[in-house]
Amino acid sequence: MADQHLIVAKIVAIVVLLLVTLIFCFIPYILDRFYKWTKRPENNAREFKVVLCLLNFGGGVLIATTFIHMLPEVVEVVNALQDCRMLASTPFGLPEVLLCTGFYLMYCIEEIMHFLVRRRQQRRKREVAVDVVTIKEAGEEVVVQTGEEETPKEPNWLRGLGIIVALSLHELFGGMAIGLEMSVSTVWFMTGAIAVHKLVLAFCIGMEIMMAHTRWLLAVVYLLVFSVVTPIGVGIGIAVSESAEANQPSTVSGILQGLACGTLIYVVFFEIVAKNHAGLRVLLSSVVGFVLMFGLQIAIGEARGKSHFTCP
């Protein structure tokens, strides 16, 4: 009977996490129907104080998530893997190297996208120039309107992709933590702590993707993926909890979460946090987001207790 109650609790956790995350992901789109943030020119929209404060609140949330929540978990997993001789010991900090690798991986992807966009713009200009010459050779008059040269612009889906990939990996393992719990009370406590943590992230991600003017269909795909990864993680945790290997450290988990940390750091500091002096209110918004996630991390840590990995 106890096992049946435990399975029911985990199934309820799956349904609750899925539904409430979906709701919070799309709240920014509902607010936008009233405040028309995305109807403004993109530059003006991002200068709008309320939007800027919300985006930097999300930046503070992601900074705390990266440095206080994700990175310590990566360090713990990698240290356990090295203690168990599943990874070779290194004369340098392997978790930090994984973080830097993820950072430069995201940097490389963005520069490649900028290069492709720039080359496509140059090809279009050459095609227009050839058309103008052809028309002039035919003896027809042509009026060419010249404007300012376009600067290569980052595709609006790239920022959203970086955030979703990084956080989805992390939330998958967070869901597995719920699925691996062995008591009903701890499942409920963990579900509540992770739910609040994820709902704040869901709102901030929805806000960032909306203000990046990501196409509606692509935005829906991103937010659906982010919403389902934690329930999927719970399901995986339920399956793994039936085996004796539940407490063994995972090499794949350590490497992927390390890369995800670096990806998230790039997105936060290059795309979300204000680059200019935006005022004390924007700074305060970022600090509030950071402190909120810091408090939630304490709650999650108390619910989970100290992790104990066992070597195979």
Side-chain angles (χ1 to χ4, degrees):
M1 183 64 71
D3 289 340
Q4 184 178 357
H5 286 305
L6 184 61
I7 294 296
V8 170
K10 292 178 180 180
I11 292 174
V12 172
I14 289 175
V15 175
V16 169
L17 286 171
L18 176 61
L19 293 179
V20 295
T21 304
L22 278 172
I23 292 171
F24 272 74
C25 278
F26 288 99
I27 282 179
Y29 287 89
I30 297 172
L31 294 176
D32 185 56
R33 293 178 65 88
F34 297 98
Y35 296 105
K36 311 294 183 185
W37 290 324
T38 55
K39 300 299 180 185
R40 300 165 179 258
E42 187 171 351
N43 290 336
N44 291 343
R46 282 188 165 270
E47 294 295 328
F48 191 42
K49 269 304 187 206
V50 174
V51 174
L52 202 54
C53 287
L54 288 172
L55 291 175
N56 280 269
F57 172 83
V61 166
L62 294 178
I63 290 172
T65 300
T66 303
F67 289 103
I68 298 179
H69 189 52
M70 293 176 66
L71 186 56
E73 286 188 359
V74 175
V75 172
E76 184 180 14
V77 172
V78 170
N79 288 341
L81 288 168
Q82 291 180 331
D83 291 341
C84 295
R85 308 296 183 188
M86 297 171 69
L87 277 180
S89 297
T90 56
F92 51 84
L94 184 57
E96 290 77 10
V97 170
L98 289 172
L99 183 148
C100 294
T101 302
F103 179 90
Y104 281 107
L105 181 64
M106 189 65 188
Y107 193 175
C108 179
I109 291 173
E110 183 171 342
E111 287 302 319
I112 290 172
M113 295 309 302
H114 273 278
F115 172 76
L116 294 176
V117 170
R118 188 182 300 112
R119 191 171 65 172
R120 186 175 63 179
Q121 289 176 348
Q122 291 174 347
R123 186 169 61 247
R124 284 181 178 177
K125 288 178 182 178
R126 286 195 297 269
E127 291 174 354
V128 170
V130 170
D131 291 341
V132 169
V133 171
T134 303
I135 293 172
K136 284 184 176 180
E137 288 178 350
E140 299 179 12
E141 292 186 3
V142 60
V143 178
V144 180
Q145 294 182 346
T146 59
E148 293 183 2
E149 188 171 332
E150 295 181 9
T151 57
K153 185 180 177 183
E154 176 189 339
N156 54 18
W157 54 266
L158 185 58
R159 183 189 306 121
L161 181 63
I163 296 174
I164 294 299
V165 170
L167 287 179
S168 293
L169 285 171
H170 174 65
E171 294 299 329
L172 179 69
F173 297 118
M176 288 176 62
I178 297 176
L180 291 170
E181 295 298 338
M182 301 308 294
S183 68
V184 174
S185 60
T186 313
V187 166
W188 290 128
F189 198 104
M190 282 291 294
T191 300
I194 289 180
V196 177
H197 172 274
K198 189 174 182 182
L199 296 186
V200 176
L201 284 175
F203 177 83
C204 297
I205 289 171
M207 189 73 188
E208 177 61 27
I209 289 177
M210 181 186 73
M211 293 312 301
H213 295 272
T214 305
R215 286 181 296 175
W216 172 246
L217 182 60
L218 200 55
V220 169
V221 171
Y222 284 163
L223 298 179
L224 282 176
V225 169
F226 180 71
S227 299
V228 301
V229 287
T230 303
I232 290 174
V234 177
I236 294 173
I238 293 173
V240 173
S241 63
E242 301 299 323
S243 70
E245 301 179 353
N247 291 328
Q248 290 183 9
S250 167
T251 305
V252 175
S253 169
I255 293 175
L256 289 181
Q257 289 220 62
L259 295 175
C261 277
T263 301
L264 206 53
I265 289 172
Y266 182 89
V267 172
V268 169
F269 287 105
F270 281 79
E271 303 297 342
I272 298 178
V273 177
K275 301 178 181 66
N276 301 317
H277 299 290
L280 290 177
R281 281 183 294 179
V282 174
L283 170 63
L284 183 61
S285 300
S286 181
V287 172
V288 168
F290 180 88
V291 171
L292 175 62
M293 297 310 292
F294 180 66
L296 291 175
Q297 172 59 22
I298 293 175
I300 293 173
E302 290 181 352
R304 182 177 298 171
K306 188 172 179 60
S307 298
H308 295 284
F309 288 114
T310 58
C311 297

